Amino acid sequence: VVVTGHSLGGALAALTGAWLLQWFDKEYGKLPENVRVLCVTFGQPKVGNEKFGEYVDSHPYCTWVDGDHGAKFKMYRVCDLTD
């Protein structure tokens, strides 16, 4: 599953990616083996609060390590250097 967006669409894509993690957990108890989620946003405003960030960062399927090709969920935010 690839979720992407620009500006406000990027914010919605980030929220959709987090929602997918929660939905798969609720429906299946885990992310199925054949499912990968990739979320790439461009010019996305920051979304969520501290608890939202902690949830996404601490989720067992998330990884921020480049080269971790076995990751089930990855989220990339492409933005200006000053953002």
Side-chain angles (χ1 to χ4, degrees), residues 61-76:
Y61 296 125
C62 296
T63 184
W64 310 110
V65 178
D66 283 339
D68 184 358
H69 302 294
K72 293 186 145 301
F73 180 87
K74 285 190 174 193
M75 184 179 287
Y76 296 101

Side-chain angles (χ1 to χ4, degrees), residues 3-53:
V3 185
T4 189
H6 173 262
S7 193
L8 180 58
L12 293 173
L15 293 172
T16 300
W19 176 82
L20 281 170
L21 282 177
Q22 197 171 35
W23 184 81
F24 277 116
D25 279 346
K26 183 178 177 185
E27 289 294 313
Y28 300 102
K30 63 178 184 169
L31 208 56
E33 285 300 315
N34 61 342
V35 174
R36 301 279 187 271
V37 178
L38 172 63
C39 180
V40 182
T41 64
F42 300 89
Q44 166 211 330
K46 294 179 182 174
V47 296
N49 58 14
E50 188 175 343
K51 284 191 175 207
F52 174 79

